[in-house]
PDB file of all heavy atoms in Angstrom:
ATOM      1  N   LEU A 145      55.223 217.595 122.165  1.00  0.00           N
ATOM      2  CA  LEU A 145      55.003 218.841 121.454  1.00  0.00           C
ATOM      3  C   LEU A 145      55.103 220.086 122.425  1.00  0.00           C
ATOM      4  O   LEU A 145      55.662 221.107 122.034  1.00  0.00           O
ATOM      5  CB  LEU A 145      53.660 218.897 120.733  1.00  0.00           C
ATOM      6  CG  LEU A 145      53.610 218.074 119.369  1.00  0.00           C
ATOM      7  CD1 LEU A 145      52.178 218.137 118.841  1.00  0.00           C
ATOM      8  CD2 LEU A 145      54.537 218.808 118.276  1.00  0.00           C
ATOM      9  N   PHE A 146      54.424 219.919 123.523  1.00  0.00           N
ATOM     10  CA  PHE A 146      54.498 221.016 124.632  1.00  0.00           C
ATOM     11  C   PHE A 146      55.965 221.196 124.917  1.00  0.00           C
ATOM     12  O   PHE A 146      56.289 222.366 125.035  1.00  0.00           O
ATOM     13  CB  PHE A 146      53.680 220.487 125.887  1.00  0.00           C
ATOM     14  CG  PHE A 146      52.248 220.974 125.816  1.00  0.00           C
ATOM     15  CD1 PHE A 146      51.270 220.108 125.189  1.00  0.00           C
ATOM     16  CD2 PHE A 146      51.833 222.199 126.181  1.00  0.00           C
ATOM     17  CE1 PHE A 146      49.942 220.451 125.117  1.00  0.00           C
ATOM     18  CE2 PHE A 146      50.524 222.586 126.088  1.00  0.00           C
ATOM     19  CZ  PHE A 146      49.526 221.711 125.537  1.00  0.00           C
ATOM     20  N   GLU A 147      56.752 220.185 125.162  1.00  0.00           N
ATOM     21  CA  GLU A 147      58.223 220.495 125.614  1.00  0.00           C
ATOM     22  C   GLU A 147      58.910 221.143 124.389  1.00  0.00           C
ATOM     23  O   GLU A 147      59.684 222.008 124.683  1.00  0.00           O
ATOM     24  CB  GLU A 147      58.850 219.065 125.899  1.00  0.00           C
ATOM     25  CG  GLU A 147      58.313 218.539 127.246  1.00  0.00           C
ATOM     26  CD  GLU A 147      58.757 217.138 127.572  1.00  0.00           C
ATOM     27  OE1 GLU A 147      59.360 216.490 126.651  1.00  0.00           O
ATOM     28  OE2 GLU A 147      58.486 216.612 128.569  1.00  0.00           O
ATOM     29  N   GLN A 148      58.665 220.604 123.204  1.00  0.00           N
ATOM     30  CA  GLN A 148      59.425 221.208 122.001  1.00  0.00           C
ATOM     31  C   GLN A 148      59.142 222.740 121.950  1.00  0.00           C
ATOM     32  O   GLN A 148      59.927 223.557 121.559  1.00  0.00           O
ATOM     33  CB  GLN A 148      59.041 220.492 120.793  1.00  0.00           C
ATOM     34  CG  GLN A 148      59.759 219.146 120.655  1.00  0.00           C
ATOM     35  CD  GLN A 148      59.191 218.339 119.421  1.00  0.00           C
ATOM     36  OE1 GLN A 148      58.260 218.697 118.821  1.00  0.00           O
ATOM     37  NE2 GLN A 148      59.831 217.265 119.189  1.00  0.00           N
ATOM     38  N   ALA A 149      57.818 223.048 122.269  1.00  0.00           N
ATOM     39  CA  ALA A 149      57.411 224.433 122.125  1.00  0.00           C
ATOM     40  C   ALA A 149      57.786 225.304 123.321  1.00  0.00           C
ATOM     41  O   ALA A 149      57.653 226.547 123.329  1.00  0.00           O
ATOM     42  CB  ALA A 149      55.882 224.530 121.969  1.00  0.00           C
ATOM     43  N   GLY A 150      58.207 224.585 124.421  1.00  0.00           N
ATOM     44  CA  GLY A 150      58.565 225.364 125.650  1.00  0.00           C
ATOM     45  C   GLY A 150      57.345 225.905 126.328  1.00  0.00           C
ATOM     46  O   GLY A 150      57.469 226.913 126.980  1.00  0.00           O
ATOM     47  N   VAL A 151      56.280 225.209 126.144  1.00  0.00           N
ATOM     48  CA  VAL A 151      54.973 225.631 126.851  1.00  0.00           C
ATOM     49  C   VAL A 151      54.723 224.651 127.933  1.00  0.00           C
ATOM     50  O   VAL A 151      54.746 223.399 127.699  1.00  0.00           O
ATOM     51  CB  VAL A 151      53.891 225.781 125.821  1.00  0.00           C
ATOM     52  CG1 VAL A 151      52.554 226.163 126.555  1.00  0.00           C
ATOM     53  CG2 VAL A 151      54.155 226.737 124.683  1.00  0.00           C
ATOM     54  N   GLU A 152      54.485 225.175 129.110  1.00  0.00           N
ATOM     55  CA  GLU A 152      54.169 224.311 130.167  1.00  0.00           C
ATOM     56  C   GLU A 152      52.710 223.591 130.042  1.00  0.00           C
ATOM     57  O   GLU A 152      51.784 224.415 129.588  1.00  0.00           O
ATOM     58  CB  GLU A 152      54.168 225.002 131.510  1.00  0.00           C
ATOM     59  CG  GLU A 152      54.399 224.078 132.726  1.00  0.00           C
ATOM     60  CD  GLU A 152      54.641 224.957 134.036  1.00  0.00           C
ATOM     61  OE1 GLU A 152      55.291 226.008 133.908  1.00  0.00           O
ATOM     62  OE2 GLU A 152      54.170 224.394 135.018  1.00  0.00           O
ATOM     63  N   ILE A 153      52.562 222.425 130.261  1.00  0.00           N
ATOM     64  CA  ILE A 153      51.309 221.726 130.117  1.00  0.00           C
ATOM     65  C   ILE A 153      50.393 222.261 131.389  1.00  0.00           C
ATOM     66  O   ILE A 153      50.752 222.359 132.532  1.00  0.00           O
ATOM     67  CB  ILE A 153      51.422 220.205 130.298  1.00  0.00           C
ATOM     68  CG1 ILE A 153      52.084 219.565 129.125  1.00  0.00           C
ATOM     69  CG2 ILE A 153      49.984 219.504 130.462  1.00  0.00           C
ATOM     70  CD1 ILE A 153      52.237 218.161 129.123  1.00  0.00           C
ATOM     71  N   PRO A 154      49.232 222.841 131.068  1.00  0.00           N
ATOM     72  CA  PRO A 154      48.371 223.464 132.062  1.00  0.00           C
ATOM     73  C   PRO A 154      48.129 222.448 133.168  1.00  0.00           C
ATOM     74  O   PRO A 154      47.936 221.263 132.912  1.00  0.00           O
ATOM     75  CB  PRO A 154      47.020 223.657 131.277  1.00  0.00           C
ATOM     76  CG  PRO A 154      47.545 224.031 129.900  1.00  0.00           C
ATOM     77  CD  PRO A 154      48.623 223.026 129.687  1.00  0.00           C
ATOM     78  N   GLY A 155      47.990 223.014 134.389  1.00  0.00           N
ATOM     79  CA  GLY A 155      47.902 222.098 135.595  1.00  0.00           C
ATOM     80  C   GLY A 155      46.474 221.602 135.839  1.00  0.00           C
ATOM     81  O   GLY A 155      45.591 221.762 135.021  1.00  0.00           O
ATOM     82  N   GLU A 156      46.314 220.975 137.005  1.00  0.00           N
ATOM     83  CA  GLU A 156      45.057 220.324 137.343  1.00  0.00           C
ATOM     84  C   GLU A 156      43.785 221.138 137.283  1.00  0.00           C
ATOM     85  O   GLU A 156      42.797 220.743 136.784  1.00  0.00           O
ATOM     86  CB  GLU A 156      45.279 219.643 138.779  1.00  0.00           C
ATOM     87  CG  GLU A 156      45.137 218.236 138.676  1.00  0.00           C
ATOM     88  CD  GLU A 156      45.293 217.646 140.112  1.00  0.00           C
ATOM     89  OE1 GLU A 156      44.357 217.971 140.908  1.00  0.00           O
ATOM     90  OE2 GLU A 156      46.137 216.873 140.326  1.00  0.00           O
ATOM     91  N   LYS A 157      43.977 222.368 137.830  1.00  0.00           N
ATOM     92  CA  LYS A 157      42.722 223.210 137.884  1.00  0.00           C
ATOM     93  C   LYS A 157      42.717 224.221 136.678  1.00  0.00           C
ATOM     94  O   LYS A 157      41.975 225.182 136.632  1.00  0.00           O
ATOM     95  CB  LYS A 157      42.808 224.021 139.118  1.00  0.00           C
ATOM     96  CG  LYS A 157      42.634 223.125 140.359  1.00  0.00           C
ATOM     97  CD  LYS A 157      41.132 222.643 140.466  1.00  0.00           C
ATOM     98  CE  LYS A 157      40.998 221.565 141.588  1.00  0.00           C
ATOM     99  NZ  LYS A 157      39.624 220.948 141.547  1.00  0.00           N
ATOM    100  N   ALA A 158      43.462 223.902 135.598  1.00  0.00           N
ATOM    101  CA  ALA A 158      43.388 224.826 134.489  1.00  0.00           C
ATOM    102  C   ALA A 158      42.102 224.904 133.778  1.00  0.00           C
ATOM    103  O   ALA A 158      41.414 223.855 133.768  1.00  0.00           O
ATOM    104  CB  ALA A 158      44.420 224.289 133.427  1.00  0.00           C
ATOM    105  N   THR A 159      41.691 225.968 133.253  1.00  0.00           N
ATOM    106  CA  THR A 159      40.342 226.095 132.638  1.00  0.00           C
ATOM    107  C   THR A 159      40.379 225.784 131.137  1.00  0.00           C
ATOM    108  O   THR A 159      41.546 225.668 130.613  1.00  0.00           O
ATOM    109  CB  THR A 159      39.829 227.627 132.801  1.00  0.00           C
ATOM    110  OG1 THR A 159      40.785 228.441 132.018  1.00  0.00           O
ATOM    111  CG2 THR A 159      39.815 228.081 134.190  1.00  0.00           C
TER     112      THR A 159
END
Side-chain angles (χ1 to χ4, degrees):
Chain A
L145 282 174
F146 270 91
E147 284 170 358
Q148 283 172 356
V151 176
E152 201 174 325
I153 293 180
E156 242 180 62
K157 293 287 172 188
T159 63

